[in-house]
Structure formats: structure tokens, C-alpha cells
Amino acid sequence: NPTGGPPVVFCYSYAALRPFRVAKERGWQTVLGQIDPGPPEERIVAELRERYPEYAAAWQPAPPHYWTAWREECKLADLIVVNSPWSRESLIAEGIPAEKTMVVPLAYETSAASVRTLRNYPPAFTAQRPLRVLFLGQAIVRKGIQDLVAAAALLADEPVAFDVVGSHDRLPESLPSNMVFHGPVPRSEASNWYRAADVFVLPTHSDGFALTQLEAMAFGLPVIATPRCGQVVEPGSTGWLVDPGAPPQLAAVLREAVARPDTLQTMSRAAVERVEAFSIGQLSDRLLDVERGLTAGAD
């Protein structure tokens, strides 16, 4: 502990119970790194599976003792670090004291693959040069793939093309003609998809953070996301926020993007700059806040 106090044990959620018990026996401080929004996220997924059986897979809820152990982890933790306001809200809804939680976003350092140059958008999108919308990640109901499919159907006669890159569960038999599921690709090929896209979309219903937002911005992509993930998108500046489970709203935002290539050009510049707010240096400063939080709690 750099403050000179007792040692601090940091563990990630769902693997912290035994180390925390030992730490408390020795009078040490404990910090829990909560990787997701916890039980509320499981309830969201269960409800989505019920509503969209055509996307159903072999998902099962966690056994009861899983959450019992997690609640003891939270009780033993002196401080709980989450990656987004959405995760913090979810934990508070589960009865975790607000003063025991702290938001520390994930860090992202630009890789050599992301060139961080401005994108060149056409003066107008056409059937021959449509707006290319990229979804990269697990194409599952929690991430809102059913909403993206519905939005694509609403835009079937407009110059918009959807590329879905990533593993997926079972899909409906009929999909919009303007949408292609490419399946999983090696990590080394992800940069090619970012370069080929015009906007990045993440209509998630629940995520602890979703680092793909920052990866996309590093390639100069405006991002369309929901409030239920890391607080990355600055609405009107680096992209748009839409409500989860709202395909018409998502389609309306994409129509706006088609109609305003100049807006995309401006957002592209802002997106590249936005990534700097999530550097390793920024993370270091936030971890100092964690240290101060532990010190305050010990007083």
C-alpha cells in the first residue's frame, strides 16, 4: 500500500471470495474489480431470451450459490471498482451502498494497426456506395443483435449496408438482404473491418464497458451505442446514443448519418481525439482516486 497503510488485495468479481476472506483475517484492505453489471444483467438476458426465442441458444442462468458468493465478495470489499455508470447503477439497485462504489473506465492504447487518420466520406451515400455499418463482437441478444436486425429491415430500401463480424448463436431463417453475418474472424483481421466501415454500432442492452467503442474511435469511426455500457460516446460529437431495444430510433439515427456525410466527417475527427481520454496515463490518475477512496474509508 503506497499510503503506508495495510496491504491492499485487488481481485476480480466471481474469483475474490477466498482471497478476501484471508485478507480480512489479516486486517488487509480489499478492492473488488466488478467486471459486469452483476445480477441485473442476468435478468436482462433471461428476459431477452424469452422475448426472442429465434435467437435462443444454450444459455442458462447462474446457479443460486454463484450470486450468494458474489454478495459475500461485495460485503467483504472495502471498495468496488466498476467500469461504467451503468454498472454502478446496477449494483446500487442490488443494494450495494453507493459510497462503496467507484467508476474507473477501462484504458485503451492505440495499436499500430489503427492509423488514427481522418476518414474520407463521400459527398453522398448511394446504392453503389452505401453507408457501411459495422457490428463487431458477439452477435447475441445481450448486445442487441435482434435490434440491429430489426433496424436493418426498416432500412432495406435505403443506401445502408450492415456487416456483422463475430460469433453468434442461432439466427432467424430470414434476415434482411442488406445485412451479412461474416462469423468470427482472427483478431489480426479486425482492423480491416474497422477501416472498411463508416460507422460502428453497439445497440447493447448491458455491458460492463465494451472496449470495441474505443477501438472503433481509434480508427476514426463515429459510434452509435446505448447508455448501458462504458461512458464513451459524446452524443452529437463522437456519435449517437440510442435507447436499448429501440430499432426505429436506431434506424432514424442511421438515416441521419446517410443524409449528413459532413456530420460523419466532423465526428470522425472528434472520435480520434476522444480516445486520448482513456489512455494509460488517465487510468493511472483514476487509480490514485481509488487509493484516496481507500484512505478516506479507513479514516
Side-chain angles (χ1 to χ4, degrees):
N1 188 336
T3 65
V8 178
V9 174
F10 177 94
C11 285
Y12 285 108
S13 51
Y14 317 119
L17 186 53
R18 187 173 298 177
F20 277 10
R21 284 173 174 169
V22 172
K24 286 303 179 183
E25 289 174 358
R26 300 182 180 184
W28 296 351
Q29 291 182 297
T30 51
V31 177
L32 181 67
Q34 181 64 33
I35 63 174
D36 59 23
E41 181 170 279
E42 181 178 82
R43 290 194 291 270
I44 287 170
V45 174
E47 192 271 335
L48 289 171
R49 293 290 189 184
E50 188 72 23
R51 287 176 57 195
Y52 300 100
E54 66 271 32
Y55 294 90
W59 178 86
Q60 294 292 329
H65 65 80
Y66 184 87
W67 296 118
T68 300
W70 172 77
R71 291 184 186 281
E72 186 176 347
E73 289 179 349
C74 293
K75 185 177 180 181
L76 291 172
D78 292 305
L79 191 65
I80 301 174
V81 172
V82 295
N83 300 134
S84 63
W86 163 242
S87 286
R88 184 172 185 266
E89 292 168 13
S90 298
L91 265 60
I92 293 171
E94 285 298 299
I96 305 300
E99 62 274 13
K100 200 173 185 176
T101 64
M102 181 175 292
V103 177
V104 178
L106 296 180
Y108 178 76
E109 288 293 306
T110 306
S111 67
S114 56
V115 292
R116 292 175 64 89
T117 57
L118 295 182
R119 309 181 73 82
N120 293 312
Y121 291 95
F125 292 105
T126 65
Q128 291 71 38
R129 172 54 173 98
L131 177 79
R132 302 213 66 89
V133 181
L134 174 65
F135 176 103
L136 191 150
Q138 287 183 294
I140 54 179
V141 291
R142 178 174 63 81
K143 300 267 188 183
I145 191 58
Q146 68 283 356
D147 303 322
L148 190 61
V149 170
L154 293 172
L155 298 169
D157 298 323
E158 302 182 42
V160 186
F162 296 81
D163 291 303
V164 179
V165 179
S167 60
H168 55 77
D169 298 337
R170 191 177 72 202
L171 296 170
E173 292 183 5
S174 59
L175 292 168
S177 59
N178 57 353
M179 173 175 268
V180 178
F181 281 76
H182 299 274
V185 300
R187 186 67 186 167
S188 60
E189 294 182 15
S191 60
N192 295 332
W193 289 102
Y194 285 125
R195 289 193 187 96
D198 295 310
V199 296
F200 182 81
V201 63
L202 178 69
T204 182
H205 286 249
S206 184
D207 260 289
F209 188 86
L211 202 60
T212 49
Q213 298 176 94
L214 291 175
E215 291 180 351
M217 286 186 179
F219 283 90
L221 284 174
V223 172
I224 304 170
T226 76
R228 292 186 180 180
C229 56
Q231 204 169 43
V232 173
V233 174
E234 298 171 306
S237 174
T238 59
W240 295 265
L241 289 179
V242 298
D243 296 328
Q249 192 180 130
L250 177 55
V253 164
L254 289 168
R255 285 193 184 99
E256 180 181 343
V258 168
R260 297 292 305 276
D262 56 326
T263 296
L264 294 178
Q265 197 76 60
T266 302
M267 285 182 170
S268 177
R269 289 193 292 269
V272 171
E273 295 172 359
R274 176 65 171 154
V275 178
E276 294 300 327
F278 298 87
S279 66
I280 293 294
Q282 292 291 331
L283 175 61
S284 177
D285 291 341
R286 290 166 182 140
L287 290 177
L288 289 176
D289 292 336
V290 172
E291 177 188 320
R292 286 188 283 269
L294 285 172
T295 303
D299 292 342

